[in-house]
Amino acid sequence: MSENRTNLSALTGPELVRVFLDAYDQPRTTKAERAEFFDFKSRIFAAIAERDGNPDAARFAACARADSELLWAEIAASEALNGGGR
């Protein structure tokens, strides 16, 4: 997901939604790609929550962050079990 913007603060609410929907439509086949998407989703919803004081957006951001952390933990555990990329 390297095409995802790193600075979301300059985007308007509708622009944030468009960027999110564009990323949502991209295929993800690996756990790392899914984790990167959840990282991005978390940042989008956190930006909406901060800008609008929206508690639902804050909850969605927290859920996406938890999903991302779980996937990154699974990836790390799998790598450790498989010899750490030897």
Side-chain angles (χ1 to χ4, degrees):
M1 298 224 118
S2 59
E3 70 277 359
N4 290 334
R5 298 176 189 225
T6 56
N7 182 3
L8 302 172
S9 63
L11 299 179
T12 65
E15 289 172 331
L16 286 169
V17 172
R18 265 194 302 279
V19 168
F20 172 72
L21 291 176
D22 286 345
Y24 183 82
D25 287 337
Q26 301 302 312
R28 285 168 282 286
T29 57
T30 67
K31 284 186 180 185
E33 289 171 336
R34 289 177 48 223
E36 289 172 355
F37 171 73
F38 284 121
D39 285 339
F40 182 67
K41 180 179 178 180
S42 173
R43 291 186 317 113
I44 289 283
F45 280 99
I48 292 170
E50 184 177 316
R51 180 171 297 149
D52 299 340
N54 184 324
D56 290 330
R59 185 170 44 85
F60 293 143
C63 289
R65 191 169 30 260
D67 289 340
S68 173
E69 290 171 358
L70 178 62
L71 284 166
W72 287 124
E74 288 178 9
I75 291 167
S78 178
E79 289 176 356
L81 290 173
N82 293 320
R86 281 188 268 170

